[in-house]
Amino acid sequence: MCGRYVVARAIGDLMAAFDVEESYVDELQPSYNVAPTDTVPLILDRSSGEGAPVTRKLVTARWGLVPSWAKDPKGGARLINARMETVTEKPSFRKAASARRGLLVGNGYYEWEKSPDGRKIPTYLHGLDDEVLAFAALFENWPDPSLPNDHPDKWLRTATIITTAAPDALGHIHDRTPLIVPPEMFSDWLDPETTSEVDVRALLDSMPEPHLVPRVVSDMVNSVRNNGPELIQPAD
């Protein structure tokens, strides 16, 4: 986990659910099979400039984190997840953990349970009331060295989902699960003033266990070419 997830919410719904004050997203097409390197909605708390107040913003990022020091963005597809246990220590993630935390939002995510006969059973996991989920995320801004500073594509924003050990109720499906931030902790997690490793680790360790509902779905989700609401329907 997590290699595929679902984002099928309107921009207005996301702004209301997360108290977003500024949206920089013009259009958001529903995706029932989000895959690495796809462009996804990201929520963050940031100031728009020196002396300006911090506001909550809805932006987009490419899924798969590219550290700012990377020579090129090719490795981002491998960094779609960051382990909670080591996220404040690993060179690829520690700076983002202290200074660039965000929320990647989704209706739910997919996992593949390995059966005794070796088959992989696709399972869709979602909230109890199908509420939108907030995956704890880190983001980075990578400068393309081949472009001038004033080029509109100079900066590439990328993101990764933090994962943790799956609770007992879900461990039989997969041993890892996204770290899900509850609404009452949105502001704490997004606060750009929280930068010390001790405080970030305290935030990570205080996240409650998520309550998710698993649903076995069709193996159509195995192919990224398939993308529609039928992917989250119960398997026949």
Side-chain angles (χ1 to χ4, degrees):
M1 196 298 128
C2 162
R4 304 279 183 81
Y5 68 100
V6 175
V7 180
R9 300 281 177 148
I11 293 174
D13 292 340
L14 293 180
M15 292 184 70
F18 292 92
D19 294 325
V20 172
E21 298 164 89
E22 300 177 76
S23 174
Y24 293 83
V25 182
D26 295 327
E27 188 178 14
L28 187 60
Q29 294 293 332
S31 177
Y32 292 85
N33 205 354
V34 175
T37 73
D38 283 354
T39 298
V40 292
L42 171 71
I43 290 170
L44 45 85
D45 280 4
R46 275 294 182 273
S47 169
S48 297
E50 187 175 349
V54 170
T55 58
R56 186 156 301 167
K57 307 176 190 299
L58 175 64
V59 299
T60 58
R62 197 181 79 171
W63 187 22
L65 189 135
V66 178
S68 60
W69 41 261
K71 292 182 179 179
D72 61 62
K74 295 178 182 177
R78 297 193 301 270
L79 297 180
I80 60 170
N81 294 158
R83 293 176 68 91
M84 187 192 84
E85 296 86 347
T86 57
V87 75
T88 59
E89 304 165 8
K90 293 286 187 181
S92 296
F93 304 122
R94 61 190 180 196
K95 287 187 177 179
S98 69
R100 287 175 288 278
R101 296 183 303 278
L103 298 171
L104 286 177
V105 299
N107 296 53
Y109 70 96
Y110 299 103
E111 198 49 81
W112 282 259
E113 179 181 0
K114 192 172 183 178
S115 65
D117 62 4
R119 293 183 303 115
K120 291 186 176 181
I121 304 170
T123 304
Y124 177 62
L125 297 105
H126 58 92
L128 292 173
D129 298 311
D130 282 324
E131 71 274 14
V132 64
L133 302 178
F135 304 135
L138 308 176
F139 69 94
E140 277 285 8
N141 298 301
W142 180 77
D144 188 337
S146 68
L147 297 176
N149 289 336
D150 59 353
H151 194 283
D153 297 324
K154 174 68 176 180
W155 294 91
L156 173 67
R157 184 187 296 114
T158 62
T160 187
I161 294 174
I162 299 176
T163 68
T164 186
D168 292 343
L170 302 176
H172 67 285
I173 299 173
H174 197 275
D175 62 347
R176 305 293 295 180
T177 187
L179 186 66
I180 296 176
V181 183
E184 63 272 17
M185 294 186 68
F186 289 170
S187 293
D188 290 336
W189 176 251
L190 296 173
D191 187 353
E193 297 299 317
T194 301
T195 58
S196 76
E197 181 179 350
V198 171
D199 289 340
V200 174
R201 282 248 55 99
L203 269 177
L204 291 165
D205 293 338
S206 65
M207 296 289 176
E209 181 178 303
H211 298 288
L212 301 173
V213 180
R215 177 195 305 158
V216 174
V217 294
S218 164
D219 61 6
M220 289 190 299
V221 72
N222 293 355
S223 172
V224 295
R225 292 190 296 271
N226 298 324
N227 194 328
E230 67 276 6
L231 297 186
I232 64 173
Q233 296 304 310
D236 295 332

